[in-house]
């Protein structure tokens, strides 16, 4: 599985001492900027055609995915899980949490806001909360995030997003009416 | 009692589902924690269960707590059950992927474990095997959501049927004292939306912060859908105080309490810690929306009855087995 541990990191992140798990990354761009930039990426017919073409063109898709990895690695510490939660997390990447929590901070955040596993680094979920709250988006953190599909690692989440595959990634409200079950292509698992 | 597990199943707890009923009744519930042994001795768990029988509505069995290897929470829960105490089986996402988690949950239901407590778990970094692979395939909220789906919809995460569906009471944890503090009640609300029916909190030492948390819980109406059981425990020495105040992530000990414990002679620290615990439980019984107390007394289970008695939440009502041990397997 192509989990990435050595990505360009922006800012004064401390030298990595433990390679066995992700380390929280505070994004290098403000949440306000990123909420605005997001509009540029919203699906439209052109992007959908581009995504469909990329999926038919392996070489182009590899280059596109590498570019995405470069940009998002430098900005967010992206590890290419392929199912981007950033728009719902104040643009702080939950996959940089050592426990890869998708649904908010664990109970081990120190009184000064540091990660329990990497005490030199701020908790990425605390960063997410502060960024979302400042921009009036704190409610995003109440969304229930479904389990991720580990087959998507290394794929372009932009292509997935434009192809509409991200739509079921989170739900609002009652988890008893909307199930955590991942939609599957394989019809054999429905019963 | 060692024959209980290997033999013809478990002597039933005097009335299974007692934690569910106690929460529904609205009376102040009491749970406690049993840490399983690091050794193949079933009697170690039975001894702890014996101390608690009649005093608690249920006893948690921890899942390799602090990422240290112990007897499993699954086996421990069965041993507790056969000792006549209702178990709460803890299950973390640290060591199992979604396949193993769902399998263990089905197994727990099949063997009559009535309560589960689902959490993300401590990272192995500070455990006894820091070199271990941390799994974290899904997170604690997703695990609660998965369990509720297995029970209420009779479906696995794959969409496949679970038949018959399990029927445990689903619990979770929350830490009202860990930043972002203003988000903690909403985080609990999220777990309740995912299906949690009770929550046990981190140690309550700082009552003002806990009271603010409970005010937010009441504002969100969470306490109507989820029993909030507050974590408590006696600090028995200055060394223990130092340890929990600085080494255990997420525990907040207020300065006033540190001063109080340091202000008594060394041979009185344990008594003072006990007294503080009693006072905290007394205060908790007066906070609106608090459903009960969860006592974590690491290795000092024999002190739990005295604490409960002094705090006015003594032997559990309607528990025929209190004191006599009559609900116990041979």
């Amino acid at each position: 599985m192509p989990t990435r541990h050595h990505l360009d990191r922006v800012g004064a992140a401390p030298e990595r001492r433990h390679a066995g798990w992700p380390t929280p990354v505070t994004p290098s761009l403000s949440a306000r900027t990123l909420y605005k930039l997001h509009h540029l990426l919203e699906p439209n017919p052109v992007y959908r055609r581009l995504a469909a073409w990329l999926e038919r063109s392996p070489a182009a898709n590899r280059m596109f995915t590498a570019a995405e990895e470069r940009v998002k690695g430098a900005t967010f510490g992206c590890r290419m899980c392929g199912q981007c939660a950033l728009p719902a997390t104040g643009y702080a990447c939950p996959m940089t949490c050592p426990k890869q929590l998708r649904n908010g901070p664990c109970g081990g955040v120190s009184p000064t806001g540091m990660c329990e596993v990497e005490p030199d680094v701020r908790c990425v979920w605390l960063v997410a909360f502060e960024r979302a709250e400042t921009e009036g988006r704190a409610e995003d953190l109440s969304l229930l995030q479904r389990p991720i599909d580990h087959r998507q690692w290394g794929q372009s989440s932009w292509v997935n997003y434009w192809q509409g595959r991200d739509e079921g990634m989170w739900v609002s409200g009652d988890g008893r009416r909307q199930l955590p079950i991942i939609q599957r292509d394989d019809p054999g698992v429905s019963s | 009692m060692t024959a209980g597990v290997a033999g013809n199943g478990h002597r039933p707890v005097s009335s299974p589902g007692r934690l569910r009923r106690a929460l529904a009744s609205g009376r102040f519930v009491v749970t406690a924690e049993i840490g399983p042994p690091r050794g193949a001795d079933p009697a170690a768990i039975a001894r702890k269960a014996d101390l608690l029988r009649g005093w608690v509505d249920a006893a948690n069995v921890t899942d390799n707590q602090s990422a240290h290897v112990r007897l499993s929470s699954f086996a421990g829960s069965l041993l507790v059950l056969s000792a006549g105490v209702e178990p709460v089986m803890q299950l973390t996402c640290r060591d199992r992927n979604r396949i193993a988690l769902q399998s263990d949950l089905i197994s727990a239901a099949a063997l009559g474990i009535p309560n589960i407590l689902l959490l993300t778990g401590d990272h192995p970094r500070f455990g006894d095997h820091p070199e271990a692979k941390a799994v974290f395939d899904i997170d604690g909220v997703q695990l609660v959501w998965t369990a509720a789906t297995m029970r209420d919809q009779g479906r696995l995460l794959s969409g496949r049927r679970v038949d018959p569906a399990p029927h445990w009471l689903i619990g979770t944890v929350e830490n009202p004292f860990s930043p972002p503090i203003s988000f903690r009640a909403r985080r609990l609300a999220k777990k309740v939306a995912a299906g949690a029916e009770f929550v046990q909190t981190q140690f309550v030492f700082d009552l003002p912060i806990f009271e603010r948390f409970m005010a937010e819980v009441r504002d969100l109406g969470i306490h109507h859908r989820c029993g909030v059981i507050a974590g408590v425990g006696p600090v028995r020495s200055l060394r223990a105080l130092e340890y929990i105040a600085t080494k255990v992530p997420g525990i907040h000990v207020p300065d006033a309490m540190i001063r109080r414990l340091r202000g008594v002679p060394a041979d009185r620290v344990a008594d003072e810690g006990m007294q503080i615990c009693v006072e905290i439980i007394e205060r908790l019984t007066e906070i609106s929306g608090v459903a009960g107390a969860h006592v974590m007394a690491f290795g000092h289970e024999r002190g739990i009855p005295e604490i409960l008695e002094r705090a006015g939440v003594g032997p559990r009502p309607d528990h025929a087995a209190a004191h006599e041990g009559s609900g116990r397997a041979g």
Side-chain angles (χ1 to χ4, degrees):
Chain A
M1 184 161 297
T3 55
R4 302 296 302 264
H5 294 302
H6 302 284
L7 289 160
D8 295 340
R9 299 242 303 283
V10 177
E15 196 62 28
R16 172 176 295 283
R17 287 165 307 171
H18 304 279
W21 52 78
T23 303
V25 172
T26 298
S28 58
L29 292 174
S30 77
R32 175 162 302 177
T33 304
L34 290 160
Y35 283 118
K36 282 185 187 144
L37 281 175
H38 183 83
H39 295 302
L40 297 177
L41 281 176
E42 274 172 6
N44 61 41
V46 176
Y47 285 155
R48 273 191 279 273
R49 277 200 297 279
L50 171 65
W53 176 76
L54 284 168
E55 293 200 318
R56 290 193 305 270
S57 320
N61 200 5
R62 273 196 300 278
M63 281 170 60
F64 182 85
T65 305
E68 176 179 334
E69 182 169 357
R70 187 91 194 153
V71 171
K72 284 166 66 177
T75 312
F76 309 106
C78 170
R79 300 169 54 234
M80 296 299 283
C81 71
Q83 41 226 300
C84 198
L86 286 169
T89 60
Y91 286 92
C93 177
M95 302 311 279
T96 70
C97 162
K99 296 180 183 173
Q100 300 169 68
L101 299 178
R102 295 283 279 198
N103 278 291
C106 76
V109 186
S110 84
T112 53
M114 306 312 255
C115 170
E116 86 170 297
V117 181
E118 295 288 346
D120 299 336
V121 186
R122 265 170 82 70
C123 163
V124 69
W125 272 107
L126 183 59
V127 171
F129 175 73
E130 288 168 354
R131 286 164 64 94
E133 192 166 61
T134 306
E135 298 302 318
R137 298 284 297 262
E139 275 310 300
D140 287 352
L141 272 60
S142 292
L143 295 166
L144 279 174
Q145 297 280 346
R146 287 197 167 99
I148 69 164
D149 178 345
H150 288 284
R151 295 170 299 185
Q152 302 290 323
W153 281 94
Q155 297 189 26
S156 164
S157 76
W158 287 342
V159 168
N160 281 339
Y161 176 48
W162 294 331
Q163 294 282 48
R165 292 188 197 114
D166 281 2
E167 279 161 20
M169 220 155 51
W170 54 71
V171 305
S172 61
D174 194 338
R176 292 172 208 220
R177 278 193 285 277
Q178 302 178 86
L179 306 182
I181 296 167
I182 300 169
Q183 283 101 22
R184 297 188 185 244
D185 306 331
D186 175 9
V189 295
S190 61
S191 63
Chain B
M1 71 135 285
T2 49
V5 173
N8 59 347
H10 316 286
R11 176 67 61 89
V13 179
S14 51
S15 42
R18 104 173 254 118
L19 179 59
R20 184 192 292 274
R21 284 197 311 280
L23 286 168
S25 76
R27 71 171 166 81
F28 196 81
V29 310
V30 176
T31 56
E33 197 147 289
I34 292 181
R38 190 175 59 242
D41 176 17
I45 292 231
R47 277 195 298 274
K48 291 184 177 182
D50 283 347
L51 294 167
L52 299 177
R53 192 179 321 102
W55 292 90
V56 298
D57 292 296
N60 287 43
V61 183
T62 51
D63 178 9
N64 297 299
Q65 188 170 356
S66 309
H68 285 68
V69 172
R70 301 273 172 158
L71 180 143
S72 78
S73 61
F74 185 18
S77 293
L78 295 178
L79 291 166
V80 166
L81 195 57
S82 66
V85 173
E86 181 165 309
V88 178
M89 183 180 94
Q90 299 195 183
L91 195 65
T92 75
C93 302
R94 177 191 57 229
D95 310 317
R96 300 170 185 82
N97 67 9
R98 64 193 79 183
I99 298 172
L101 288 166
Q102 293 177 101
S103 170
D104 282 357
L105 287 173
I106 291 174
S107 307
L111 291 173
I113 294 171
N115 313 295
I116 52 175
L117 186 90
L118 307 174
L119 52 165
T120 299
D122 297 313
H123 197 279
R125 175 168 184 186
F126 301 108
D128 60 354
H129 294 71
E131 75 282 11
K133 163 113 174 114
V135 179
F136 301 122
D137 176 25
I138 60 176
D139 66 29
V141 178
Q142 291 162 347
L143 181 55
V144 167
W145 199 6
T146 300
T149 302
M150 291 169 72
R151 187 190 62 189
D152 301 337
Q153 316 292 332
R155 298 268 181 186
L156 297 176
L157 274 181
S158 65
R160 280 182 188 259
R161 286 207 171 282
V162 188
D163 187 22
H167 48 263
W168 357 253
L169 186 74
I170 301 173
T172 187
V173 292
E174 188 51 70
N175 185 353
F177 310 98
S178 186
I181 286 175
S182 64
F183 180 62
R184 290 292 166 181
R186 277 176 279 170
R187 178 157 162 76
L188 176 57
K190 187 168 171 167
K191 292 175 172 176
V192 174
E197 297 165 289
F198 72 98
V199 59
Q200 291 170 328
T201 75
Q202 183 56 280
F203 282 103
V204 176
F205 293 126
D206 194 325
L207 279 158
I209 291 181
F210 186 71
E211 281 169 357
R212 280 202 295 280
F213 170 78
M214 283 308 302
E216 287 169 22
V217 164
R218 291 192 300 270
D219 287 346
L220 293 167
I222 303 169
H223 59 305
H224 296 305
R225 294 175 62 192
C226 176
V228 180
I229 304 175
V232 296
V235 175
R236 303 207 7 100
S237 67
L238 291 180
R239 223 181 77 199
L241 174 69
E242 173 74 15
Y243 181 75
I244 61 167
T246 60
K247 293 285 193 302
V248 183
I251 297 183
H252 182 241
V253 186
D255 293 341
M257 184 175 149
I258 295 174
R259 279 198 301 274
R260 186 169 158 188
L261 284 165
R262 286 200 179 132
V264 298
D267 62 338
R268 291 261 307 119
V269 172
D271 291 343
E272 193 68 13
M274 202 109 149
Q275 178 57 30
I276 290 172
C277 185
V278 167
E279 290 168 17
I280 288 173
I281 296 174
E282 286 171 343
R283 292 276 299 276
L284 289 171
T285 62
E286 292 159 6
I287 299 175
S288 169
V290 174
H294 174 61
V295 191
M296 296 171 276
F298 306 112
H300 189 60
E301 285 79 6
R302 81 195 124 82
I304 290 179
E306 187 193 333
I307 292 172
L308 294 171
E309 184 91 80
R310 280 167 55 189
V313 291
R316 301 290 77 202
D318 71 275
H319 201 299
H323 303 298
E324 300 92 358
S326 57
R328 211 189 137 187

